[in-house]
Amino acid sequence: MTPAILALERAGVTHRTLDYEHDPAAPAYGTEAVEALGLGPAAVHKTLVVVLADGRHAVAVVPVAAQLDLKACARALGAKRASLAEVADAERLTGYVVGGISPLGQRRRLPTVVDEGIMALDEVFVSAGRRGLEVALAPDALLAAVDATTAPLTA
């Protein structure tokens, strides 16, 4: 049981978990999940920690098949600039290791923005807090669980 799953259960959010055998040699964690679980790449989302121009950290959630537009992310979070956080900072702030960072149940709640394309999905898949474990839930349930906003975030 990961903090992400515990957070969903405590909040009474309907969800399901999917696990697969993580390959340490896999070149990209999100693509590995898509292929291992046979899911559409638009439905599986990655969780990225960004640092804003003023030093604040935030979370961006985008499809694994897309690239985060850092300018759009900064705008959505009311900042002048955004850049990807250092791996050590992302792990320290969230309590998860890269490849298993979930937007749910993070050690420290960070402002979160999710790509607006999520609203076209019936179900979204995000990391459940460890490599090889995904959680599926309704997009609006994810937004409510992490108190997120939506915005166009992909290039």
Side-chain angles (χ1 to χ4, degrees):
M1 183 85 53
T2 66
I5 301 301
L6 283 172
L8 289 173
E9 290 188 358
R10 285 186 186 133
V13 175
T14 301
H15 66 281
R16 60 189 177 95
T17 57
L18 299 90
D19 59 358
Y20 59 93
E21 188 67 34
H22 166 62
D23 177 2
Y29 301 112
T31 304
E32 178 189 28
V34 167
E35 292 171 0
L37 297 171
L39 300 170
V44 180
H45 285 60
K46 56 189 170 187
T47 305
L48 303 170
V49 179
V50 297
V51 60
L52 305 175
D54 63 4
R56 292 178 300 135
H57 286 86
V59 171
V61 180
V62 297
V64 298
Q67 185 170 342
L68 175 63
D69 180 335
L70 290 166
K71 288 181 182 181
C73 182
R75 272 192 308 276
L77 292 162
K80 290 183 180 183
R81 286 181 314 282
S83 59
L84 291 177
E86 296 291 327
V87 169
D89 290 336
E91 291 179 341
R92 178 180 46 79
L93 290 166
T94 64
Y96 297 116
V97 296
V98 168
I101 294 178
S102 177
L104 303 153
Q106 294 182 355
R107 179 176 292 151
R108 202 170 141 198
R109 182 172 270 201
L110 299 171
T112 302
V113 62
V114 178
D115 184 69
E116 67 184 4
I118 196 173
M119 299 314 294
L121 302 171
D122 293 328
E123 189 173 50
V124 62
F125 300 83
V126 295
S127 175
R130 72 170 167 79
R131 296 172 185 156
L133 186 64
E134 294 286 305
V135 63
L137 66 163
D140 59 340
L142 174 64
L143 296 174
V146 296
D147 193 25
T149 58
T150 60
L153 295 179
T154 57

